[in-house]
Amino acid sequence: MSDTLTGLDIRPLSDSLGAEIRGVDLSQPLDDATAAAIRDAWHEHIVLLFRDQDLSEDDQVAFAEKFGTVGTRSRPASRRPEGADYNASIMLVSNIKKDGEYIGSLPDGEMWFHHDMCYDPAPHKGTFLYAMELPSSGGNTLFANMYAAYDRLSDETKARLKGLTALQIYDFATREVVDISGDIAQYKHCVQPVTVTHPVTGRRALYVNPLITARIEDMPDDESRALLDELFGFTDDKSLVYEHEWRLGDVLMWDNWCSCHARTDFPASDRRMLRRCTIKGQPLHE
Ligand code: OGA
Ligand code: MN
């Protein structure tokens, strides 16, 4: 399937979200027309895949810069693994160890569904991940379409969500939400609307997830828990999810305002390394 105006070859990856774009070498400078066509495809498909890429750090950052201002990492330097790569724009997602210390972040196994940086008042818009070393099995990344996660709710639930906000809080773990019964000041956190209007597409998306959303504000705990459990139903709805099986050289870019993602488990004895950067965002509103 070819976009006749730009020549982009765009192929949907699933019924829920995602498209592969073929025929673009991301290590080469992108002309503005191609970048604009990719941006449009991104807003339509939420997750874009480019296979068989060969990218240096600079290439990856230059590509991301076509879509916004490249972001810097959110984890404080004092909380990063020793020996990690300190280029502030680049983060390695890796379980590889050097001298006994992880060289990157998010090393191990399964990771629950989350929106990147929803605990920040101006969540980064997009994440760009490039596959450099992959395990023999697993370590797939799952993406959920959060427009569709909102659309599937009953009219009654949609009406109930109006005006609600939620506490988003994160401690850089992969399979547990922060215990908020104690002092939460030490954790990155903020309050966000439970649904957001995407600043570019104008479409409404559900903006809660099991890893980072700890409670609905101004609601008794049991009610908040029950509502969140209902909203988290999207994680089990296969019709909303695309599961990406990585190949070396894959680049995925995803929109954090209208999707969330998770990772499947993989053998701890296998090496996995992906190179990541983001582009900055803005405050989100209902
Ligand atoms: C991330 C992330 C998932 C993965 O980089 O933000 O969630 O598959 N990565 O490693
Ligand atoms: Mn993530």
Side-chain angles (χ1 to χ4, degrees):
M1 204 189 317
S2 192
D3 182 317
T4 46
L5 276 178
T6 62
L8 274 192
D9 181 351
I10 302 172
R11 302 175 187 219
L13 289 165
S14 74
D15 290 339
S16 49
L17 75 169
E20 178 181 352
I21 299 198
R22 297 198 184 168
V24 185
D25 177 352
L26 303 186
S27 71
Q28 299 303 310
L30 279 188
D31 63 71
D32 289 344
T34 305
I38 293 173
R39 186 179 307 110
D40 289 348
W42 192 28
H43 287 131
E44 184 179 344
H45 296 283
I46 305 173
V47 177
L48 294 182
L49 165 65
F50 303 83
R51 292 220 194 254
D52 303 316
Q53 302 296 319
D54 183 4
L55 297 186
S56 67
E57 274 187 10
D58 288 349
D59 294 338
Q60 185 171 347
V61 167
F63 174 61
E65 261 168 357
K66 281 287 187 183
F67 305 94
T69 305
V70 171
T72 46
R73 300 171 53 172
S74 59
R75 189 193 302 230
S78 59
R79 302 273 325 273
R80 284 178 211 150
E82 284 295 323
D85 178 340
Y86 284 108
N87 178 336
S89 304
I90 292 284
M91 172 177 135
L92 290 179
V93 174
S94 185
N95 64 348
I96 296 172
K97 287 185 174 173
K98 198 171 144 196
D99 303 328
E101 302 282 357
Y102 287 120
I103 62 166
S105 301
L106 309 175
D108 300 308
E110 187 195 348
M111 193 173 181
W112 290 355
F113 271 101
H114 62 282
H115 300 78
D116 287 342
M117 284 189 72
C118 61
Y119 51 84
D120 187 283
H124 287 186
K125 178 184 180 184
T127 303
F128 300 73
L129 205 53
Y130 170 55
M132 303 175 76
E133 289 194 56
L134 293 171
S136 56
S137 64
N140 298 342
T141 309
L142 305 163
F143 292 91
N145 179 334
M146 298 308 279
Y147 297 131
Y150 176 74
D151 290 342
R152 78 193 270 280
L153 300 172
S154 66
D155 289 345
E156 194 190 340
T157 302
K158 284 179 184 159
R160 209 175 151 208
L161 298 187
K162 253 191 161 177
L164 290 186
T165 57
L167 174 65
Q168 308 282 6
I169 181 163
Y170 191 44
D171 189 32
F172 304 96
T174 49
R175 290 179 294 276
E176 58 184 346
V177 67
V178 170
D179 174 3
I180 54 169
S181 59
D183 178 16
I184 63 169
Q186 60 176 308
Y187 303 112
K188 294 230 166 207
H189 67 279
C190 73
V191 168
Q192 298 278 11
V194 166
T195 67
V196 296
T197 302
H198 191 290
V200 179
T201 66
R203 295 181 62 195
R204 182 167 304 285
L206 188 62
Y207 199 61
V208 291
N209 65 74
L211 182 61
I212 303 181
T213 312
R215 70 163 178 246
I216 310 275
E217 295 291 274
D218 306 316
M219 195 178 269
D221 282 353
D222 52 346
E223 251 181 73
S224 160
R225 189 68 263 151
L227 181 54
L228 284 177
D229 286 346
E230 179 186 343
L231 299 179
F232 294 163
F234 73 85
T235 64
D236 298 319
D237 186 339
K238 293 260 186 292
S239 74
L240 302 182
V241 174
Y242 163 64
E243 177 164 359
H244 186 63
E245 286 181 44
W246 291 93
R247 289 192 216 153
L248 288 178
D250 282 357
V251 172
L252 281 187
M253 62 189 277
W254 64 83
D255 186 329
N256 282 304
W257 295 339
C258 56
S259 69
C260 59
H261 54 282
R263 181 172 73 197
T264 64
D265 200 7
F266 58 95
S269 51
D270 286 359
R271 289 162 65 102
R272 186 178 190 269
M273 179 165 78
L274 301 99
R275 192 203 289 136
R276 181 187 193 273
C277 67
T278 61
I279 52 171
K280 287 185 180 170
Q282 62 176 76
L284 297 175
H285 304 287
E286 187 179 74

